[in-house]
Amino acid sequence: MKYILSLVLLFFTVLSFSQTKLLSWNLENFGKSKSESELNFIANTILNYDIVALQEVVAGYGGAQAVAKLAMLLNEKGAKWDYAISNPTSSTSSHKVERYAFLWKTSKIKLKGNTWLEKQYHLEIDREPYFATFEINKKTITLVNFHAITKSKQPETEIKYFKFLPAEYPNLNLLFLGDFNCPQSHTVFNPLKKMGYSPILQNQKTTLKQQCKNDNCLASEFDNMFYKTSTIEFMNSGIVPFHKNFNSLKEARRISDHIPIWFEFSLK
């Protein structure tokens, strides 16, 4: 009996180690405007994931410091975390300039080489995507972290360049994630889908309304991840409806106007 129990335990240990939980969150205006208690709430929301990708980190003073503070809070909660922050994006107008960030658990995830902002299409894409290659169980995945221009500015005019990225990086196992300000059903994603990329969410709204109507608090289907089905095994996906922890959407929106999305996967 003991032998069977130890085998079962070993199986689940191996299984949990081979699965990776990835979270993506547009943390609106993430910088010095976030209080200590808000940072602590964010840390508690993300601590059970292995890799976290953040969008909308403030480019000026306070953004990088908030990411470092978040990593410090995570480190105080039991696991060792590391992080990487992008340079400011090369946006044409100063109020659109942002940074991206990645945070990861060092016991399961290893950063390979340097992170980088996309060089080839930085003129065509306002906030060019941020790349990081991670090693998981001796296999690699490259996360492409992105925050598109707003819906009124037609984000599809930027997203259309994503179809060129797999050819630009033929040796990398790319996974596109972030806030696309555009639903996955839009035809602009068709070229990626034809290459074998699949969205983790369908018909799932990920932004918060100003006010809930009949318990309906979500507005738009903007955040998603696109993974290569031939190299990445889909396990599970979903959202974190963090706003339900607050008495009002006004309070919740002090954390962000987006809810986090997550993807559980293993590398083939």
Side-chain angles (χ1 to χ4, degrees):
M1 191 65 186
K2 262 188 182 173
Y3 178 69
I4 292 168
L5 276 174
S6 57
L7 270 182
V8 169
L9 195 65
L10 181 68
F11 172 76
F12 281 109
T13 306
V14 169
L15 191 69
S16 68
F17 209 80
S18 66
Q19 292 175 345
T20 302
K21 291 181 84 171
L22 166 64
L23 180 135
S24 173
W25 199 355
N26 175 333
L27 273 173
E28 182 185 17
N29 198 28
F30 188 62
K32 60 179 184 283
S33 66
K34 300 287 188 248
S35 69
E36 181 91 18
S37 66
E38 286 163 353
L39 283 172
N40 205 49
F41 178 86
I42 292 164
N44 285 329
T45 305
I46 67 178
L47 63 81
N48 290 324
Y49 296 86
D50 302 310
I51 312 177
V52 174
L54 300 181
Q55 302 90 43
E56 222 175 290
V57 175
V58 173
Y61 180 77
Q65 289 82 352
V67 175
K69 186 72 196 284
L70 181 59
M72 190 184 83
L73 288 170
L74 286 166
N75 278 319
E76 289 170 1
K77 295 177 189 293
K80 174 78 178 75
W81 289 74
D82 203 350
Y83 65 94
I85 307 168
S86 76
N87 289 328
T89 56
S90 56
S91 314
T92 44
S93 65
S94 58
H95 71 277
K96 284 190 201 161
V97 176
E98 291 171 12
R99 295 180 193 265
Y100 298 97
F102 290 111
L103 302 101
W104 62 93
K105 279 183 181 148
T106 57
S107 61
K108 286 184 75 171
I109 314 292
K110 200 159 92 182
L111 180 68
K112 294 276 287 178
N114 296 321
T115 61
W116 72 96
L117 286 167
E118 169 57 33
K119 304 284 191 293
Q120 183 87 0
Y121 300 105
H122 74 278
L123 296 176
E124 292 83 1
I125 301 174
D126 229 0
R127 293 180 285 249
E128 66 271 38
Y130 181 46
F131 290 68
T133 299
F134 294 101
E135 186 181 295
I136 308 165
N137 298 331
K138 299 184 178 165
K139 293 173 184 169
T140 58
I141 185 169
T142 301
L143 304 183
V144 185
N145 196 355
F146 180 58
H147 182 201
I149 49 176
T150 56
K151 193 181 178 191
S152 60
K153 297 268 171 62
Q154 298 178 303
E156 60 272 21
T157 59
E158 295 187 326
I159 298 166
K160 69 182 183 184
Y161 292 100
F162 277 53
K163 66 187 175 201
F164 301 122
L165 296 177
E168 191 186 336
Y169 301 100
N171 300 320
L172 298 182
N173 182 14
L174 301 179
L175 184 148
F176 302 98
L177 56 78
D179 173 11
F180 296 94
N181 277 312
C182 191
Q184 62 80 29
S185 54
H186 196 289
T187 54
V188 74
F189 292 111
N190 286 355
L192 277 181
K193 288 175 180 176
K194 280 177 186 161
M195 289 179 213
Y197 286 87
S198 185
I200 64 159
L201 301 172
Q202 293 189 29
N203 306 314
Q204 175 61 64
K205 292 174 177 176
T206 60
T207 65
L208 294 178
K209 291 183 171 183
Q210 296 289 345
Q211 289 181 319
C212 296
K213 289 175 186 166
N214 303 324
D215 213 29
N216 178 9
C217 308
L218 300 178
S220 301
E221 192 188 336
F222 284 170
D223 303 83
N224 220 318
M225 303 186 196
F226 292 83
Y227 70 100
K228 190 83 178 280
T229 55
S230 61
T231 57
I232 297 169
E233 182 83 35
F234 180 99
M235 301 287 187
N236 206 352
S237 67
I239 58 168
V240 183
F242 80 90
H243 56 286
K244 293 181 178 178
N245 293 300
F246 292 88
N247 294 322
S248 69
L249 276 193
K250 188 180 178 184
E251 278 182 62
R253 287 171 67 99
R254 288 176 60 175
I255 300 290
S256 182
D257 54 353
H258 288 247
I259 58 173
I261 63 168
W262 58 269
F263 178 32
E264 193 169 358
F265 66 91
S266 69
L267 296 175
K268 292 181 180 177

